[in-house]
Amino acid sequence: MYPKSPFLRNPLVESQILKRNPAQLGELMSWLCRPPTITTYRVNMLRTTVQAFKQKLRLVLQERYPQPPQVYEVSNIPEVLCISPILLKNMDIKLKQTELQREVVVDSCCGASLLRGAHIYAPGVLAMEAGTKLGEQVLVYADLAGKCKQGTNTRYDSPDKLLLGVGTIRMQRHQIFGPSTNSCTNSEPEPLKGIAVEMLATTSGVPSIGDLSCSEALLQNLPSILCVRVLNPQFGERILDMCAAPGNKTTHIAEMMTDQGEIIALDKVPKKISVMKEKITSEGLKSIRAYAFDATKAFDPSKPAGAKHSLLEPPFGANTFDKILLDAPCSALGNRPFLIAPSNMTSSMLGSYPKVQRKLFSAAVPLLKPHGVLVYSTCTVTEAENEGIVAWVLEKFPQMRLVEATPRFGGNGLEHTGLNNEERQYLQRFNYNSTETEGIHIDTVGFFIAKFIKCG
Ligand code: SAM
């Protein structure tokens, strides 16, 4: 269904992803080019019940689809609701291709979101044919070549455009492109807002319901939700979230602790921390304190170890935290689907991530109390940032013991990466071959989770 994306022909990315497993490369690359087919929400159990939100989702889906997809729960993560894909035979897009006259073209980034259930917002639109009317159904394509100019008003013909689905026009050309093409005014164009095309169906089969995130639930990938379950925060603990923004895992930690405990959230980008603080305040969460701080410098050996007092501020002394989440900055190559090659992925970029991941880990180890738990995660698939980091930790920090990351939904770590079979089985790698767990089809993003305990 999806063309061979240029991503498949990026030798640099290929060599970094699976250094010692070239046989699996083709399958992995084609998986990365396809969208995940399940949609997951994390229900905020401090605000509502899973059953109540499930009912809300069902109503939205019933309104849109004559044969609505299933909404279901998964074992061991009670706050998760999954939505299955729609059977493609219910919405034959190929047939629509012969019926519908007009086309809308979007950029590849917007295209990737559509395939995961989003609608089209005005900034993503590149071309809309002149005369397209409000309420009209159109075919939606992605411009893979990156050659379609924003504001194009004729049919964009290119061998590199990919059919994504069918949508209904909710904004006209002048509303989408108007301010930037209006030469009568010298004022700054207003930022484009709102849904331009409401998607009805896409080739991925993921229901097009947009993002229904609200105070009661958050649209979040399953492995990200699982990550906090693996950390297993408990009432009253002191937890460090080292790389916290935008804070989706931080708020989950607070919810699991029923907002009773102490969560310190760090991120080195001040703007991200201000946005996060607003979110924490609006959600009324009291247990989180967020700081703009470089977590590689979070350990200060001159500060007293095992500080008991509250209102701690970074940097911290040794043995301060019961648990640490290190959701590391990474190359993000698990964020399927890639319709085009990741544009900024140079070899020095790829090589920089393991360096910062090691620095973050080196700061985390002394901060953890004896018997404390550290969860390391990435949303990428490269060996160097995943199994490579685990092997390095086990060698460099003999006090850190790898333990099984449970509950299990992902597959084992890769072979031939310096880890023995038992260690590989303790890890969770979300990969092209790890989509079936306990009979549940988990077709999600690429992700990696490892759990460590610090020996006393
Ligand atoms: N845990 C977050 C969540 O679930 O919402 C996502 C974290 S994202 C994978 C990685 C974050 O690390 C980015 O927000 C980035 O700004 C931050 N970051 C990168 N280097 C950092 C550093 N040295 N110290 C703290 N934060 C850092």
Side-chain angles (χ1 to χ4, degrees), residues 220 224 241-250 266-269 272 293-296 325 327-330 356 360 379:
Q220 196 178 17
S224 294
D241 187 353
M242 289 185 95
C243 300
N248 294 338
K249 297 188 186 72
T250 324
L266 307 181
D267 200 285
K268 80 168 185 188
V269 182
K272 291 188 186 180
F293 198 84
D294 179 350
T296 62
L325 175 61
D327 186 35
C330 68
V356 70
L360 288 163
C379 60

Side-chain angles (χ1 to χ4, degrees), residues 28 31-32 34-40 112 116 220-226 249 332-338 378-381 409-411 428-435 442-449:
L28 176 62
W31 179 72
L32 289 176
R34 295 194 307 272
T37 51
I38 60 160
T39 308
T40 42
R116 297 210 61 192
Q220 196 178 17
N221 289 314
L222 183 86
S224 294
I225 306 173
L226 176 64
K249 297 188 186 72
L333 293 172
N335 285 332
R336 309 161 61 208
F338 284 93
T378 74
C379 60
T380 198
V381 291
F409 286 89
Q428 292 205 48
R429 180 180 257 268
F430 286 84
N431 219 351
Y432 67 93
N433 55 1
S434 61
T435 58
I442 305 285
D443 183 9
T444 183
V445 292
F447 208 88
F448 181 86
I449 306 176

Side-chain angles (χ1 to χ4, degrees), residues 256-275:
M256 277 192 70
M257 292 163 76
T258 56
D259 202 22
Q260 293 173 74
E262 194 181 355
I263 304 163
I264 308 276
L266 307 181
D267 200 285
K268 80 168 185 188
V269 182
K271 177 77 193 126
K272 291 188 186 180
I273 286 290
S274 347
V275 175

Side-chain angles (χ1 to χ4, degrees), residues 33-46:
C33 293
R34 295 194 307 272
T37 51
I38 60 160
T39 308
T40 42
Y41 278 88
R42 184 191 101 220
V43 178
N44 179 352
M45 309 237 261
L46 300 181

Side-chain angles (χ1 to χ4, degrees), residues 238-242 262-266 289-291 293-307 309-321 324 363-364 366-368:
R238 180 185 280 165
I239 297 187
L240 175 64
D241 187 353
M242 289 185 95
E262 194 181 355
I263 304 163
I264 308 276
L266 307 181
R289 291 204 312 282
Y291 299 93
F293 198 84
D294 179 350
T296 62
K297 302 189 172 88
F299 171 53
D300 180 351
S302 69
K303 287 209 169 167
H309 59 89
S310 60
L311 287 180
L312 284 174
E313 289 198 1
F316 313 99
N319 303 344
T320 298
F321 295 96
I324 297 181
L367 292 177
L368 199 57

